[in-house]
Amino acid sequence: MRTEHASLQEGRISRSEEPLNLEMPFENVDQFITPTKSFYVRTHFPIPNIDKDKWRLSVEGEVERPLEIEYDEFLKLQRRKIPVTLECAGNNRSFLEPKVKGVQWGLGAVGTAEWTGIPLSILLERAGVKPNAREVILEGADEGELDDAKAPRGKVRFARSVPLAKARADVLLAFQMNNVDLPPEHGFPLRAIVPGWYAMASIKWLTRVIAIGRPFTGYYQTLDYAFWRNGELMPLSEMQTKAQIARPVNGETVLANSNVRVFGAAWTCDEIGRVEVSTDAGSTWEDAQLLGESKPHAWRLWQYNWHTPTRGRATLIARGTSSRGSTQPTERDSNRGTYMINHLLPVNVTIE
Ligand SMILES: Nc1nc2c(c(=O)[nH]1)N[C@H]1C(S)=C(S)[C@@H](COP(=O)(O)O)O[C@H]1N2
Ligand SMILES: [Mo]
């Protein structure tokens, strides 16, 4: 690992060095907020080194009054702080059979942080969005050439769009993560947080906000981070419901005739309604206990008290349901390609 990145790893699993991709060991989850040093890192290009005094955010495109904002001006605006769970759309990819291309994430390309920033709606209002605008493109400062015959030639920047209604509703432009300035790898000086959506939409190193009157056709919108629906490639958006077991871990040996705490986290695009656990490979299910309070767009920790049998093996499975009633699918849907992996995953344990 390159020396400048080695110091960043700090107990995280290195999935690739250049670009830097680090995973949180999911078995370590024990609190609602993920410490920044444990939070997964996903990058596509080298991390841009941005001088905040030279950095500007532009708001342009289909707006009456295009504007540029400096970092210090940002800090003077009315700020908000919200906990939001980010999950990479490729989380759990290493469990797919047969294997597919892409970063081989296990369970830990997910985490919850408190994000402090300015609602995007404030800037859109200042700039005066024209009536014909439909979407808002969020563009980062990072760029590079892509190793894909379908990609445009030359350098491409990492960019995604959100519908104008979503941009106005709850997209946050965050300058702090867990109460301190964003670290470089998480998007310093400013990143978008798109609550409830897979994290590819939460653009780091944000430099441009562009209102447009038609659907955005950028590489990371239409070719990558897309899935098949009715024969058409659709951009990924909302997170799908998922419950993951943090402990026990797959392959662990647990004590016979004892109480074992099965513990994990569950999330969806809004709020979790229910988590069930099976200790017999999915034949029967019981409700887990949801811990803490429910917060929109953030995961919910849960636990289940399992009284273990005398000896043998068991297959544990957790299953989440959103407050709107969408439950995790049992089987993988191949239309989802290499993304949105939320089918049920077994955790096999030995009882001794
Ligand atoms: N500018 C920019 N923003 C980006 C990315 C990127 O490579 N460049 N990666 C996206 C993806 S795919 C994910 S999963 C999240 C990861 O955020 P994190 O590294 O803070 O965990 O950032 C998103 N925002
Ligand atoms: Mo991602």
Side-chain angles (χ1 to χ4, degrees), residues 39-45 86-89 115 140-142 158 185-186 191 199-205 225:
F39 209 96
Y40 82 97
V41 173
R42 172 65 170 125
T43 65
H44 293 74
F45 303 119
L86 294 187
E87 182 189 19
C88 180
W115 307 97
D142 52 330
F158 196 84
E185 65 277 17
H186 291 293
R191 78 175 300 168
M200 73 275 136
S202 291
I203 302 296
K204 303 192 276 189
W205 312 293
Y225 295 104

Side-chain angles (χ1 to χ4, degrees), residues 134 194 234 314:
R134 292 285 168 272
V194 180
M234 300 286 298

Side-chain angles (χ1 to χ4, degrees), residues 113-125:
E114 286 199 293
W115 307 97
T116 305
I118 308 304
L120 174 56
S121 62
I122 293 183
L123 302 192
L124 293 176
E125 203 158 299

Side-chain angles (χ1 to χ4, degrees), residues 169-181:
D170 59 4
V171 174
L172 191 73
L173 305 183
F175 45 81
Q176 285 185 352
M177 176 179 191
N178 294 335
N179 305 310
V180 295
D181 289 353

Side-chain angles (χ1 to χ4, degrees), residues 39 54 81 84 90 105 111 119 138 143 167 169 191 212 226-227 245 256 268-269 278 281 294 322 334 338:
F39 209 96
K54 297 199 182 111
K81 180 162 87 174
V84 171
W105 301 111
L138 306 169
E143 58 178 17
R191 78 175 300 168
I212 52 168
F227 71 107
I245 298 173
T268 179
C269 63
S278 172
S294 182
S322 75
S334 63
T338 66

